[in-house]
């Protein structure tokens, strides 16, 4: 059985409410305690759909739709500001970002906290969480202990700050909401069949990545095309090996995903999310540009 908190966190990152994600994970674990990881994922999805159907709120239904692989629609990671495709989208992106950067509503952590307190709490009936919220869900739902993390995130992405303020006032996001920008796997390195499958089912790809499984091996195992070697635990095998065109090779998928960038389904989204990281040795925050920030004040260190 897979860890309940891991399953719940995966669903939350895909836009499911934390309460619904926890219920789905707990029920699946209770009813399928001895299932192998892939069977567990199948049952988790079925349980989520069942609970979502029982939920009265539209928001819950929208979140379930985002987690359902057959409803996910692909949006190019290079088209960040418009849901439709346009030959001028890439050009207009920089202009839009520049305008957003000039209108950042805070200059330091104190101003950020005031801005955050002033955000509305009204969401559109057909609201779906944009990918940047899915990626940063744990920090965005936190309190003062993660305020610096939120400050750094929106400081790095003024366009997201403007969008977040907008959706908190009942408007829909201008950014992708289907999880397509959160993909870390390079589909060009998969077989044509597998790549086509995951382009149509991005949430299935995100699920495999969320459990640190190689997507190709996970799909092949799910379809009964391949089995783990005799005496090998299936979950361990899927997380410690990967498929290549020249055969299956050893790979620490957990570490590989941790170090990988979000390149998106089209493979062109590297750099979409400018992330910071915690330096465990010093406790400082290292920004994407290499600058060091104080974890309590959010100020640059000399």
């Amino acid at each position: 059985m897979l860890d309940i908190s891991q399953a719940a966190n995966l669903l939350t990152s895909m836009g499911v409410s934390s309460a619904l994600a926890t219920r789905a994970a707990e029920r699946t674990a209770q009813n399928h305690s001895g299932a192998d990881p892939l069977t567990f994922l199948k049952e988790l999805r079925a349980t989520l759909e069942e609970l979502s159907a029982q939920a009265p709120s539209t928001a819950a239904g929208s979140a379930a739709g985002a987690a359902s692989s057959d409803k996910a629609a692909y949006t190019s990671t290079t088209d960040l500001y418009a849901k439709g495709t346009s030959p001028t989208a890439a050009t207009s992106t920089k202009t839009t970002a520049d305008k957003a950067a000039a209108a950042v509503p805070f200059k330091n952590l104190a101003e950020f906290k005031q801005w955050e307190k002033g955000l509305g709490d009204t969401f559109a009936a057909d609201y779906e969480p944009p990918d940047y919220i899915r990626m940063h869900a744990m920090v965005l739902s936190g309190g003062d202990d993660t305020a610096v993390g939120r400050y750094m995130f929106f400081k790095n992405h003024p366009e997201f700050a403007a969008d977040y303020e907008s959706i908190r006032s009942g408007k829909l996001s201008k950014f992708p909401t289907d999880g397509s920008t959160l993909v870390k796997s390079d589909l060009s390195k998969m077989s044509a069949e597998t790549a086509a499958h995951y382009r149509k089912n991005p949430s299935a790809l995100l699920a495999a990545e969320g459990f640190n499984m190689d997507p190709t091996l996970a799909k092949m195992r799910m379809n009964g095309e391949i089995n783990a070697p005799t005496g090998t635990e299936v979950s361990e095998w899927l997380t410690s090996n990967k498929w290549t065109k020249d055969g299956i090779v050893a790979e620490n998928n957990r570490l590989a995903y941790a170090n990988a960038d979000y390149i998106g389904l089209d493979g062109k989204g590297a750099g979409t999310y400018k992330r910071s990281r915690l330096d465990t040795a010093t406790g400082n925050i290292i920004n994407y540009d290499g600058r060091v920030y104080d974890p309590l004040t959010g100020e640059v260190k000399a």
Side-chain angles (χ1 to χ4, degrees), residues 267-285:
K268 301 177 181 179
T272 296
Y273 301 107
K274 301 178 179 67
R275 294 176 290 170
S276 58
R277 62 180 176 83
L278 177 67
D279 184 347
T280 56
T282 63
N284 294 323
I285 295 177

Side-chain angles (χ1 to χ4, degrees), residues 217-288:
L217 294 181
K219 176 179 176 294
M220 295 175 70
R221 178 68 175 81
M222 187 84 76
N223 294 341
E225 301 173 21
I226 195 172
N227 291 311
T230 303
T232 303
E233 203 275 322
V234 176
S235 179
E236 176 63 25
W237 184 71
L238 291 171
T239 59
S240 59
N241 291 277
K242 72 174 182 179
W243 179 93
T244 72
K245 295 178 181 179
D246 298 321
I248 298 173
V249 299
E251 175 79 10
N252 185 337
N253 295 321
R254 185 185 302 276
L255 180 62
Y257 285 136
N259 293 326
D261 197 357
Y262 295 99
I263 62 174
L265 279 176
D266 60 7
K268 301 177 181 179
T272 296
Y273 301 107
K274 301 178 179 67
R275 294 176 290 170
S276 58
R277 62 180 176 83
L278 177 67
D279 184 347
T280 56
T282 63
N284 294 323
I285 295 177
I286 311 299
N287 203 22
Y288 74 96

Side-chain angles (χ1 to χ4, degrees), residues 4-272:
I4 293 178
S5 61
Q6 185 183 14
N9 288 340
L10 172 65
L11 293 179
T12 301
S13 70
M14 296 172 68
V16 180
S17 70
S18 58
L20 184 59
T22 300
R23 287 177 59 200
E26 290 178 344
R27 180 175 296 187
T28 305
Q30 181 180 11
N31 295 336
H32 305 279
S33 59
D36 64 67
L38 293 180
T39 300
F40 186 90
L41 285 176
K42 281 185 177 180
E43 297 301 334
L44 179 64
R45 176 182 172 183
T47 301
L48 176 62
E49 291 176 345
E50 179 184 347
L51 293 176
S52 298
Q54 298 171 0
S57 70
T58 303
S62 297
S68 176
S69 62
D70 58 351
K71 294 182 180 179
Y74 171 58
T75 303
S76 172
T77 55
T78 58
D79 185 4
L80 298 178
Y81 294 88
K83 293 297 180 64
T85 56
S86 168
T88 61
T91 303
S92 63
T93 293
K94 186 178 186 304
T95 302
T96 305
D98 289 343
K99 290 181 179 179
V104 176
F106 48 82
K107 297 179 181 178
N108 52 50
L109 182 61
E111 290 185 6
F112 167 77
K113 289 181 177 180
Q114 290 300 315
W115 170 78
E116 190 175 46
K117 288 181 180 179
L119 294 175
D121 198 24
T122 300
F123 292 85
D126 53 348
Y127 163 76
E128 291 185 24
D131 289 0
Y132 68 82
I133 285 185
R134 300 186 192 188
M135 181 195 70
H136 225 55
M138 300 302 291
V139 174
L140 287 175
S141 62
D144 287 340
D145 57 326
T146 58
V148 174
R150 296 193 299 276
Y151 165 65
M152 293 296 299
F153 180 73
F154 285 123
K155 176 179 178 294
N156 288 338
H157 300 93
E159 70 278 18
F160 292 164
D163 188 72
Y164 187 60
E165 184 173 16
S166 177
I167 63 177
R168 289 285 294 265
S169 298
K171 297 180 181 179
L172 297 179
S173 176
K174 297 179 181 179
F175 293 86
T177 60
D178 62 354
S180 62
T181 69
L182 303 179
V183 171
K184 294 185 174 183
S185 300
D186 188 346
L187 273 67
S188 69
K189 296 182 179 180
M190 301 179 184
S191 68
E193 178 187 358
T194 300
H197 168 75
Y198 282 127
R199 284 193 183 94
K200 294 180 181 178
N201 302 281
S203 64
L205 177 56
L206 292 176
E209 291 184 354
F211 284 109
N212 301 303
M213 299 177 182
D214 177 76
T216 299
L217 294 181
K219 176 179 176 294
M220 295 175 70
R221 178 68 175 81
M222 187 84 76
N223 294 341
E225 301 173 21
I226 195 172
N227 291 311
T230 303
T232 303
E233 203 275 322
V234 176
S235 179
E236 176 63 25
W237 184 71
L238 291 171
T239 59
S240 59
N241 291 277
K242 72 174 182 179
W243 179 93
T244 72
K245 295 178 181 179
D246 298 321
I248 298 173
V249 299
E251 175 79 10
N252 185 337
N253 295 321
R254 185 185 302 276
L255 180 62
Y257 285 136
N259 293 326
D261 197 357
Y262 295 99
I263 62 174
L265 279 176
D266 60 7
K268 301 177 181 179
T272 296

